[in-house]
Amino acid sequence: MLNPWRLRLLSLLDTLGTVRAVAEAANLSASSVSQQLAVLETETRTQLLERTGRRVRLTPAGLMLARRARAILDHIDTVEAELRSLGEEPAGLVRVGAFQSAIHTLAVPAVTKLARTHPHVDVELLELEPHESIPALRVGDADLIITTPDSVELPLGPDVDVVPLATDPIVLVVPPDKAGRGPADLAAYAGEPWAFDIPQSYMANLVTRLCRQAGFEPRVVCRFSNYLMTLEHVEAGLSVALLPALAVDPRYRVATRELAPAVTRTITAVVRRGSRPRAAVDLVLETMRRLPMPAGTQGAWVSPSQGGVGADHRTTS
């Protein structure tokens, strides 16, 4: 009989690539991981691993089992959730990974509402950049992620379902005394000091690319992983920035202008493809999609009737 815990370790090895990385993710020693995988080979009577120098890699049989393991584990989770909620309202833990502005505008308001309407649904929030969220979803560290497929680094595949949520413009954020009218020509701000996200983040890469397309290399004077710190820096007149409209908190005295030509990002929810969605995951997503758009943004949530985890309008990637 296949052991779910050992199947999870095999799935992690397929995703993370090394026994050491699996050990860190599972909070085990490397020798314990190797021992458990050896037991799995004995249980299946199949060679799942082969050594190449000091490393191990999955055999064709190991790859097949690892990639089926995710669906097996999802099915077990679904059955357990159904047993717990049989004849009752949705219940259980839902782990949601999201980028920073989605946590403020989507995840926290949804969790606040669910605490009142569905107290048996627990939501664990994880702040994850787009390049981090898909691996977390695939290995089971997240059940639902809010991300953007616009990132060229985002590795979508046939094992996930994508649900469109909104479009959100990228806006120029400047101190109030530098506010202008109409869409902004980015080249006009080539001489300004710039506030940036941390290196290799989605927004840092996007803003670098947009500035270079406008013909200049931005003079970066600060890097913050927190949008509120960026807004405070801009409000003080120390820099300008490009931010998603959802990230612009109205409590800060800053001016925003869309770009010419306009730049937008797509906001999507992504779930693992499985036999059927868990009721609690579906509930969390639908709660997010019914939230009103924050004031000052120009994105537009997709209507709940236009698709969802339990609907037939998913985008397969």
Side-chain angles (χ1 to χ4, degrees):
M1 183 177 294
L2 295 174
N3 180 284
W5 171 239
R6 288 190 270 274
L7 286 178
R8 175 169 169 75
L9 294 178
L10 189 70
S11 177
L12 283 170
L13 182 59
D14 180 34
T15 301
L16 301 177
T18 67
V19 169
R20 182 182 297 275
V22 173
E24 292 177 356
N27 205 19
L28 296 170
S29 67
S31 60
S32 295
V33 172
S34 296
Q35 182 181 34
Q36 292 300 312
L37 293 175
V39 172
L40 184 60
E41 286 188 309
T42 301
E43 290 175 337
T44 60
R45 300 179 184 178
T46 305
Q47 182 181 358
L48 304 174
L49 309 172
E50 57 186 5
R51 289 201 167 273
T52 56
R54 299 180 62 183
R55 301 182 65 177
V56 297
R57 67 181 182 186
L58 295 175
T59 64
L63 281 171
M64 182 276 292
L65 183 57
R67 291 170 186 181
R68 294 287 183 89
R70 187 66 263 158
I72 293 171
L73 295 170
D74 281 347
H75 189 68
I76 291 173
D77 289 344
T78 298
V79 172
E80 289 179 343
E82 288 177 348
L83 287 173
R84 287 195 302 269
S85 61
L86 191 62
E88 301 175 359
E89 64 180 24
L93 175 65
V94 179
R95 294 157 298 182
V96 178
F99 49 78
Q100 185 182 147
S101 57
I103 288 180
H104 293 298
T105 57
L106 274 170
V108 170
V111 172
T112 302
K113 183 175 182 180
L114 285 167
R116 297 192 304 266
T117 61
H118 292 81
H120 299 298
V121 174
D122 297 316
V123 182
E124 178 183 324
L125 299 181
L126 310 167
E127 182 181 344
L128 298 172
E129 281 284 309
H131 70 277
E132 300 170 319
S133 57
I134 281 290
L137 182 72
R138 286 194 167 118
V139 302
D141 290 339
D143 303 302
L144 163 70
I145 61 172
I146 308 301
T147 188
T148 174
D150 303 331
S151 171
V152 295
E153 297 89 359
L154 190 63
L156 294 176
D159 58 333
V160 298
D161 287 329
V162 179
V163 182
L165 290 179
T167 57
D168 187 31
I170 304 300
V171 295
L172 178 70
V173 185
V174 297
D177 60 351
K178 294 184 179 179
R181 294 184 177 180
D185 178 4
L186 206 54
Y189 294 83
E192 296 287 345
W194 283 81
F196 259 53
D197 206 327
I198 58 175
Q200 301 309 311
S201 64
Y202 166 73
M203 281 304 301
N205 292 341
L206 174 62
V207 177
T208 298
R209 185 165 68 250
L210 292 175
C211 289
R212 289 173 178 172
Q213 289 173 355
F216 70 95
E217 194 70 26
R219 178 167 63 91
V220 180
V221 296
C222 60
R223 288 184 179 272
F224 300 122
S225 62
N226 187 302
Y227 289 147
L228 301 185
M229 295 175 68
T230 300
L231 290 167
E232 183 177 349
H233 201 267
V234 173
E235 181 183 50
L238 300 175
S239 61
V240 300
L242 286 180
L243 292 178
L246 281 179
V248 182
D249 191 311
R251 292 174 297 179
Y252 290 85
R253 292 184 63 254
V254 296
T256 62
R257 297 174 65 187
E258 290 197 22
L259 301 179
V263 178
T264 62
R265 65 173 179 172
T266 303
I267 301 174
T268 60
V270 185
V271 295
R272 287 188 302 275
R273 172 165 291 184
S275 56
R276 57 169 296 185
R278 287 169 46 200
V281 175
D282 193 6
L283 175 66
V284 171
L285 177 55
E286 290 304 306
T287 300
M288 289 181 181
R289 298 172 71 219
R290 293 178 184 276
L291 294 171
M293 282 294 293
T297 64
Q298 297 182 29
W301 298 136
V302 176
S303 166
S305 65
Q306 291 180 265
V309 172
D312 297 326
H313 295 81
R314 300 185 193 179
T315 301
T316 301
S317 298

